[in-house]
Amino acid sequence: MARNIEELINRQIHRWNSISTVLRKELSGLTENEVEPRAGEAGRAFHPVICISREMGAGARDIARLLSRRLNYELFGSEIINQIATDLKVQERLVRSIDEQDRDQFRILVDSFLSGQEIEASDFLNSLTRVVKALAIKGGVVLLGRGGNFILGDQSALNVRIVAPFGERVERVQRYLNIGEEKAREMVERTDILRARFIHHYFHADVHDNKYFDLVINTSRLPTVAATELILAALRVRGFIPEKIALPPV
């Protein structure tokens, strides 16, 4: 796993290094009025970070995978984020990739976040925050789970919550894992509790409170492709995807 994580980080760093070249080509045909001024630097305007929170079995991983393919972004799931957060060697490689100007911003953001009285500055939270903010500074990533929206807040381009009725989630977990209904039900119930506790413990927040999200999508009404298109439409509305830049089809 460690080798895979290092390869993933190296790939993302290489992608960041090539973003400026790609942007120059993308922006060459745009007028000044078509570039969203609120986002500041063009690299952050067109290559943001999207945070996805989810209920188990709601289909968020499929949405995140499709979204990352459409945007040509790297997907960082909670397992990968955890691995990076506990692997100092990979952390250092990630943080060293940030240039000096961004590194100063990164250090200020992390210091101010960890000094807040409302957040428990545990060792894990310190590492988790360091990793998520390092990934977000240059953007071009989809973060799935691990409270990314609570760590980044408005620094994220879009904070999305994926939900579905309990029964449908149990059925999905049954299919995904090929297990019985009782075991799937227990797994979904336990995971719901553990994720809610994680958010409450580290961020003193209620993961079910919709004020923390820009979009809440019910996958019983909007399946994977439709949900992905809705997220992309929201990014366009917010100015992170200019109309003249076409995305690859599904």
Side-chain angles (χ1 to χ4, degrees), residues 107-122 125-126 129 133:
R107 189 178 297 114
I108 292 171
L109 287 169
V110 173
D111 289 347
S112 63
F113 181 84
L114 294 177
S115 65
Q117 295 300 314
E118 73 279 5
I119 300 296
E120 179 182 353
S122 67
L125 180 60
N126 194 340
T129 303
K133 285 193 174 287

Side-chain angles (χ1 to χ4, degrees), residues 54-121:
R54 82 283 199 209
E55 294 179 327
M56 184 180 191
R61 189 174 297 275
D62 291 338
I63 294 171
R65 284 171 177 163
L66 181 56
L67 183 65
S68 64
R69 289 202 300 269
R70 293 291 303 279
L71 293 168
N72 193 26
Y73 285 2
E74 202 69 68
L75 170 61
F76 289 84
S78 57
E79 302 88 351
I80 297 174
I81 296 173
N82 282 351
Q83 182 73 18
I84 300 172
T86 55
D87 189 334
L88 290 177
K89 179 182 177 182
V90 177
Q91 265 193 62
E92 290 168 1
R93 173 85 173 102
L94 175 63
V95 174
R96 279 202 307 270
S97 70
I98 302 172
D99 59 44
E100 286 300 324
Q101 180 179 355
D102 283 340
R103 193 172 298 164
D104 290 340
Q105 177 195 7
F106 169 73
R107 189 178 297 114
I108 292 171
L109 287 169
V110 173
D111 289 347
S112 63
F113 181 84
L114 294 177
S115 65
Q117 295 300 314
E118 73 279 5
I119 300 296
E120 179 182 353

Side-chain angles (χ1 to χ4, degrees), residues 85-207:
T86 55
D87 189 334
L88 290 177
K89 179 182 177 182
V90 177
Q91 265 193 62
E92 290 168 1
R93 173 85 173 102
L94 175 63
V95 174
R96 279 202 307 270
S97 70
I98 302 172
D99 59 44
E100 286 300 324
Q101 180 179 355
D102 283 340
R103 193 172 298 164
D104 290 340
Q105 177 195 7
F106 169 73
R107 189 178 297 114
I108 292 171
L109 287 169
V110 173
D111 289 347
S112 63
F113 181 84
L114 294 177
S115 65
Q117 295 300 314
E118 73 279 5
I119 300 296
E120 179 182 353
S122 67
D123 291 340
F124 177 72
L125 180 60
N126 194 340
S127 297
L128 180 65
T129 303
R130 174 182 168 95
V131 166
V132 170
K133 285 193 174 287
L135 291 170
I137 275 179
K138 291 201 173 183
V141 295
V142 177
L143 301 180
L144 177 63
R146 273 298 167 257
N149 62 295
F150 293 99
I151 293 175
L152 297 178
D154 291 340
Q155 188 183 356
S156 167
L158 209 61
N159 296 316
V160 183
R161 174 82 169 158
I162 307 296
V163 301
F166 181 80
E168 291 188 21
R169 295 193 287 125
V170 171
E171 290 178 4
R172 283 198 185 104
V173 171
Q174 280 185 263
R175 293 197 303 270
Y176 288 162
L177 302 181
N178 194 24
I179 58 178
E181 180 181 354
E182 184 177 353
K183 187 173 182 180
R185 182 177 295 273
E186 291 175 356
M187 186 176 294
V188 171
E189 288 177 343
R190 177 169 175 75
T191 302
D192 284 350
I193 292 171
L194 291 177
R195 288 177 177 172
R197 284 179 180 174
F198 176 86
I199 297 301
H200 182 266
H201 177 73
Y202 283 109
F203 308 110
H204 293 204
D206 181 0
V207 73

